[in-house]
Amino acid sequence: MHFFDYKESKFYADGVSIEKIIREVGTPCYIYSHKTLTRHYHAFDEAFKDMPHLVCYSVKANSNIAILKTFVKEGSGFDIVSGGELYRALKAGANPKKIVYSGVGKREDEIEYALRTGILMFNVESPEELRALNEIAGRLKKKASFAIRVNPDVDPKTHPYISTGLKKNKFGIETNQAIKEYVYAKSHLKNLIPFGVDCHIGSQITQLSPFIDALNKTREIIVILRREGVDVQYLDIGGGLGITYKDEDAPHPSKYGKVVINETKTLGVTLIFEPGRVMVGNAGILVAKVLYTKYGMEKNFIVVDAAMNDLARPSLYGSYHSIKSVNKQNSAPAMIADVVGPICESGDFFAKDREISAFQSGDLMAIMSAGAYGFSMSSNYNSRPRAAEVMVKGNRFYIIRDRESYKDLIKGEKIPKDRR
Ligand code: LLP
């Protein structure tokens, strides 16, 4: 569900024409719909109204502080994976007591920063990290609340790069070892408070069965821990709920909610969620300008002014993003073409062998479902300044990140001052 649509054959974000935004801001440009963001947050939150819960939006999906602020205002907490994400969340006015910190490689300075901030909980991913957390907390004379991220060895049936809950993945601690670590921490690591159990099995999951399998395993762990005298009050089941990019039948949050509640209602825990994609994915588009069309013997190419540095998902995962014309609605497919960017790599594409309407040079193209892992994964490769970001709110739009300049590109670079 989103609020990008045609009005009299021109493409709009909420109440604002995309052409109008681009006239002022230029391309490439990310455009987000505020109404879609808030709707998604509430659809998710509502799904759990019958259970004590906390929604911690996963900052990595889209970390612009205006997006974070939107979620702060709706009551969201945050799932962070770095000191940088903590900084962003705090800048956006996040309540530290609604922040959980995940990730396999937290550095000492990052742990210190989070401890001083007073976040809700550390999701610990290895026995060594657990000991480091205890040691740093002791040095700061603080107590650290933690959950162990358990690796339930469940197949999320998604792209291998974004599957995280299998034994062969680097994430979490295997279940039996996790139980031992809780018991050890209770008696030996005095600066730690066992707070919860955490689990995140992957991303873009479009079936409910992997979540059920993971919940079964985490439920067992909680029961065993209680028997061992470790009383955890939080169950963090991570993010991962998929969205529709093309024709995936992704479950609505309310359906996901029913299943999760059914599996957890007797546990007496507060649920934590770390949704990313489902909040922002379909709330954002990337608008590019068509530069040239190349007709070849073997293939046709539509070359646009956005590239894999702006949106890496098609190159990295072969992901499908639907493409719409901003200037005209319902133009019949006229050709089969690859939609490609200007970067000097054959992997620089947004679509392969796509049936697509003909575009003229100067036309605008909307690459849909680009709100999650779009700008947040962008880079300056080929020395391309990063795109502008815009948020549409009702009938107005706001630039929430300026387009980078050439000067921004070399910020911090220095030529050594030796005379040779
Ligand atoms: N929690 C943890 C610990 C995570 O690692 C992630 C995502 C999330 C929550 C949020 O998951 P979501 O609800 O968005 O599925 N770049 C890839 C996705 C990588 C996901 C990384 N972790 C993509 O563009 O598909």
Side-chain angles (χ1 to χ4, degrees):
M1 176 67 208
H2 59 73
F3 294 95
F4 295 98
D5 210 350
Y6 289 96
K7 281 186 197 157
E8 285 155 15
S9 119
K10 299 283 184 200
F11 205 41
Y12 272 67
D14 296 354
V16 186
S17 113
I18 305 288
E19 272 179 358
K20 182 176 167 206
I21 297 171
I22 299 303
R23 264 200 302 277
E24 209 168 296
V25 183
T27 51
C29 179
Y30 275 96
I31 299 176
Y32 309 113
S33 148
H34 182 268
K35 196 167 164 188
T36 311
L37 292 168
T38 52
R39 189 183 172 115
H40 285 176
Y41 177 82
H42 288 293
F44 199 95
D45 193 46
E46 277 284 296
F48 299 97
K49 63 177 188 312
D50 296 335
M51 282 273 296
H53 72 278
L54 175 61
V55 177
C56 292
Y57 164 69
S58 190
V59 173
K60 65 179 84 65
N62 188 319
S63 44
N64 185 295
I65 56 172
I67 303 263
L68 303 186
K69 184 72 185 180
T70 301
F71 290 133
V72 166
K73 282 193 184 150
E74 303 306 317
S76 186
F78 295 94
D79 157 51
I80 58 160
V81 288
S82 68
E85 287 191 350
L86 176 55
Y87 178 79
R88 283 179 174 279
L90 295 176
K91 278 280 165 206
N95 175 354
K97 283 285 156 239
K98 291 185 177 178
I99 294 179
V100 296
Y101 188 175
S102 313
V104 294
K106 304 176 187 77
R107 280 197 324 244
E108 188 173 331
D109 61 305
E110 292 177 310
I111 293 176
E112 265 197 45
Y113 181 23
L115 278 169
R116 288 190 200 280
T117 302
I119 65 165
L120 179 70
M121 177 168 95
F122 289 82
N123 289 338
V124 172
E125 304 222 16
S126 66
E128 282 198 15
E129 183 193 332
L130 199 62
R131 283 150 190 75
L133 181 62
N134 180 59
E135 198 269 318
I136 299 165
R139 187 153 32 82
L140 299 186
K141 302 198 169 31
K142 298 207 181 274
K143 297 270 180 233
S145 306
F146 77 95
I148 288 182
R149 177 170 175 180
V150 294
N151 183 323
D153 198 26
V154 162
D155 184 357
K157 304 189 180 87
T158 185
H159 191 284
Y161 287 8
I162 54 177
S163 131
T164 54
L166 284 167
K167 262 193 189 138
K168 64 179 178 191
N169 299 133
K170 69 177 173 182
F171 300 97
I173 303 181
E174 179 266 315
T175 48
N176 288 333
Q177 195 186 0
I179 292 167
K180 284 190 195 131
E181 289 298 326
Y182 276 106
V183 174
Y184 178 83
K186 184 170 182 264
S187 50
H188 292 89
L189 305 176
K190 294 296 177 197
N191 307 313
L192 300 185
I193 305 166
F195 216 56
V197 171
D198 170 46
C199 175
H200 168 82
I201 55 172
S203 198
Q204 183 53 14
I205 302 170
T206 53
Q207 295 173 36
L208 291 170
S209 57
F211 291 113
I212 297 177
D213 292 348
L215 284 168
N216 278 329
K217 299 235 170 139
T218 44
R219 206 180 35 225
E220 270 170 38
I221 295 169
I222 291 176
V223 171
I224 296 172
L225 287 179
R226 288 191 177 150
R227 221 184 289 139
E228 297 284 341
V230 182
D231 188 22
V232 291
Q233 303 135 44
Y234 287 82
L235 171 55
D236 180 341
I237 63 170
L241 190 59
I243 63 169
T244 303
Y245 285 96
K246 188 182 182 187
D247 47 16
E248 303 90 336
D249 191 14
H252 188 272
S254 60
K255 225 168 158 187
Y256 168 74
K258 279 208 181 87
V259 165
V260 173
I261 291 174
N262 200 34
E263 298 293 324
T264 55
K265 60 179 181 246
T266 56
L267 275 175
V269 289
T270 297
L271 296 173
I272 296 180
F273 300 94
E274 304 171 358
R277 192 188 312 267
V278 71
M279 296 285 162
V280 290
N282 282 322
I285 62 173
L286 171 62
V287 182
K289 190 162 73 187
V290 173
L291 299 175
Y292 310 106
T293 303
K294 291 180 25 160
Y295 297 92
M297 291 290 281
E298 193 133 318
K299 264 187 170 274
N300 302 315
F301 296 98
I302 300 177
V303 186
V304 300
D305 70 350
M308 65 189 281
N309 74 300
D310 299 302
L311 176 66
R313 303 194 69 258
S315 319
L316 263 182
Y317 318 112
S319 330
Y320 181 97
H321 285 262
S322 103
I323 287 178
K324 291 191 189 297
S325 162
V326 168
N327 317 87
K328 51 189 186 305
Q329 187 179 10
N330 288 338
S331 16
M335 63 195 296
I336 296 180
D338 286 10
V339 178
V340 301
I343 281 184
C344 303
E345 300 235 12
S346 296
D348 179 25
F349 65 88
F350 293 119
K352 284 254 184 228
D353 299 319
R354 186 76 58 91
E355 263 194 47
I356 200 163
S357 59
F359 281 84
Q360 308 296 319
S361 171
D363 283 353
L364 297 176
M365 185 183 266
I367 301 165
M368 304 299 292
S369 313
Y373 308 107
F375 189 92
S376 65
M377 287 174 70
S378 67
S379 77
N380 290 121
Y381 187 39
N382 276 208
S383 285
R384 291 169 49 82
R386 268 180 294 185
E389 292 180 284
V390 164
M391 185 184 282
V392 172
K393 251 178 148 174
N395 293 324
R396 302 190 62 176
F397 73 90
Y398 304 84
I399 297 176
I400 57 169
R401 194 178 205 271
D402 291 329
R403 178 179 310 291
E404 285 181 349
S405 65
Y406 290 152
K407 218 167 159 188
D408 293 328
L409 283 181
I410 57 165
K411 184 166 173 264
E413 292 182 22
K414 290 184 182 70
I415 298 174
K417 284 200 177 85
D418 61 2
R419 292 203 179 81
R420 273 166 292 143

